[in-house]
Amino acid sequence: MDLFGDLRRMNKRQLYYQVLNFAMIVSSALMIWKGLIVITGSESPIVVVLSGSMEPAFHRGDLLFLTNFHDDPIRAGEIVVFKVEGRDIPIVHRVIKVHEKGNGNIKFLTKGDNNEVDDRGLYKEGQNWLEKKDVVGRARGFLPYVGMVTIIMNDYPKFKDI
Amino acid sequence: ERIILCCVLFSLRKNVEDFTGPRERSDLGFVTFDITADLQSIFDWNVKQLFLYLSAEYSTKNNALNQVVLWDKIMLRGDNPRLSLKDMKSKYFFFDDGNGLKGNRNITLTLSWNVVPNAGILPLVTGSGHVSVPFPDTYETTKSY
C-alpha cells in the first residue's frame, strides 16, 4: 500500500533506475551460482542435508559444499552425494566399497554412517552398484544449521508465503 | 598420532553367492585384526568427530583397484582417543567382485579417518603405515567365525 504510493511519486527515471538495480542484484546472484557450478564441476554445489542417516557428523539442516571434478577418483571413505536413477532427491552417504577396472570404469557401494545396512535397498530395483554418472558431487566442506531454512519451508509450506 | 596395526593371520576364504547383493559367486574373506592407536593429537578446537575406518585395498584380474571397508568407528570429541582393540572381526562382509582373493598375496590394510569439523573443510586422512596380508591359496570348507 505504501509501496505503490512510493512508486507513483517516483518519476520515470527513478523507477527505471530501481528496476535496473533490482535486475543487477538478481543477475549477480545468478552469475555467482552459475560460476560456482562451473568451478566445482557439480550441478548442485551446495546441498542441504535432508535426513539423519549421517549423524552424528551431519544433521538435518546442515549445509554441504560439493565438488565434482572429473579426474577425482572415487575412493572408500569419501562422502558422496548421489541421485538414484529416476529420483530427484540427493542422498548424502559414505563410499564403503570400490571396484575399479583398468579402463577407469568404476562401481561403488555406499552406506549412511548412522544406518545399519548399506544402500542397496535405496538403489533401483536390481541395481547393486552406483557409477560415476550417479554422483552429484563429493562433500568437501560443511556448515552446520545454515540450511534449516530450506527444511522449514519444506515441512511447513505456509512459511513460503511470508 | 601413533598407530599400530597388526593382523592376525587368518583368513579363510569361501566361494559363495554374494548374499549382500550381486548374486554371482564371489570370494568371501575373513580377517581378524588388532589396532592400537593414539589419536589425541588430531583433536583440536574445530574437530567435532573422527570417522575412523579400516579398509583393504588390493588388485585382482577382474579389477585394477578394489577397496573394501572392513570396519569403522565414530570417535567423538571427548571420547577416549586411545584405541586398544584386539582380535577384532570385520564389521562388514569382505566380498570380492569375483574370485580375486584366492591366492592374492597383497592385500593392504590401512587405517584412515575423516575429520568432521564444527564448520569447515572435511579432510580425508590416511594413516601412514599399513599392513599387507596374503590370502591363502585354497578355500576353507569349515564354517567358523
Side-chain angles (χ1 to χ4, degrees):
Chain A
M1 302 16 101
D2 253 356
L3 176 64
F4 292 123
D6 278 341
L7 278 179
R8 253 178 263 123
R9 259 171 274 142
M10 276 192 259
N11 64 28
K12 279 216 166 72
R13 237 165 135 236
Q14 281 173 316
L15 187 61
Y16 189 52
Y17 179 75
Q18 290 297 350
V19 171
L20 264 183
N21 218 9
F22 183 68
M24 280 288 282
I25 295 174
V26 173
S27 324
S28 304
L30 205 61
M31 282 196 295
I32 292 175
W33 180 245
K34 290 293 180 188
L36 258 184
I37 293 181
V38 170
I39 296 175
T40 62
S42 167
E43 64 176 47
S44 185
I46 303 182
V47 292
V48 177
V49 176
L50 298 172
S51 77
S53 55
M54 284 295 279
E55 287 183 19
F58 309 136
H59 297 86
R60 258 166 66 91
D62 290 346
L63 210 67
L64 288 176
F65 297 90
L66 316 179
T67 63
N68 196 23
F69 301 124
H70 185 259
D71 295 330
D72 251 343
I74 304 215
R75 294 290 175 252
E78 291 193 332
I79 301 174
V80 296
V81 177
F82 61 91
K83 284 197 192 161
V84 178
E85 231 176 293
R87 305 228 199 104
D88 252 337
I89 311 182
I91 304 178
V92 185
H93 282 171
R94 199 181 292 274
V95 175
I96 60 168
K97 258 183 165 209
V98 172
H99 295 291
E100 181 172 342
K101 297 217 181 283
N103 62 10
N105 226 331
I106 210 170
K107 64 186 187 190
F108 61 98
L109 178 63
T110 56
K111 174 181 164 296
D113 290 351
N114 206 19
N115 291 346
E116 281 296 317
V117 297
D118 60 43
D119 290 346
R120 286 197 166 123
L122 288 174
Y123 301 165
K124 218 171 54 160
E125 179 81 39
Q127 182 187 6
N128 284 311
W129 305 97
L130 287 177
E131 293 164 27
K132 247 194 155 146
K133 64 174 175 57
D134 301 310
V135 174
V136 171
R138 244 148 298 194
R140 296 288 183 219
F142 122 101
L143 278 179
Y145 313 122
V146 178
M148 257 317 193
V149 183
T150 315
I151 305 262
I152 295 176
M153 288 203 298
N154 249 357
D155 290 349
Y156 303 102
K158 291 215 175 87
F159 274 99
K160 279 194 180 138
D161 299 335
I162 291 186
Chain B
E1 69 281 350
R2 220 177 13 94
I3 299 177
I4 304 171
L5 201 56
C6 327
C7 288
V8 182
L9 14 136
F10 70 101
S11 30
L12 324 169
R13 240 181 13 11
K14 299 197 227 179
N15 185 19
V16 283
E17 222 179 72
D18 184 346
F19 45 79
T20 65
R23 287 271 162 245
E24 305 103 37
R25 295 188 83 86
S26 297
D27 282 356
L28 174 60
F30 294 91
V31 184
T32 324
F33 55 92
D34 298 345
I35 302 184
T36 316
D38 183 357
L39 301 157
Q40 177 65 58
S41 57
I42 309 181
F43 282 98
D44 62 29
W45 60 277
N46 194 23
V47 174
K48 184 165 81 171
Q49 77 170 57
L50 290 185
F51 185 88
L52 303 157
Y53 56 101
L54 180 75
S55 56
E57 185 169 319
Y58 59 99
S59 260
T60 62
K61 211 165 36 111
N62 239 356
N63 293 295
L65 175 75
N66 300 275
Q67 291 185 325
V68 180
V69 172
L70 299 177
W71 169 91
D72 56 40
K73 177 176 170 57
I74 294 180
M75 184 186 272
L76 297 169
R77 172 107 153 272
D79 285 351
N80 185 0
R82 285 172 198 82
L83 289 175
S84 188
L85 309 164
K86 303 248 175 288
D87 275 343
M88 300 290 291
K89 301 205 166 56
S90 64
K91 229 185 192 189
Y92 307 110
F93 285 104
F94 190 169
F95 268 111
D96 182 33
D97 175 38
N99 298 101
L101 295 183
K102 177 167 164 197
N104 197 322
R105 292 264 157 262
N106 202 0
I107 316 269
T108 309
L109 284 126
T110 38
L111 186 69
S112 311
W113 53 91
N114 188 194
V115 181
V116 182
N118 285 317
I121 312 244
L122 291 155
L124 213 59
V125 181
T126 304
S128 56
H130 48 258
V131 177
S132 272
V133 164
F135 267 112
D137 291 327
T138 52
Y139 291 118
E140 278 284 333
T141 44
T142 50
K143 270 192 202 155
S144 68
Y145 211 62

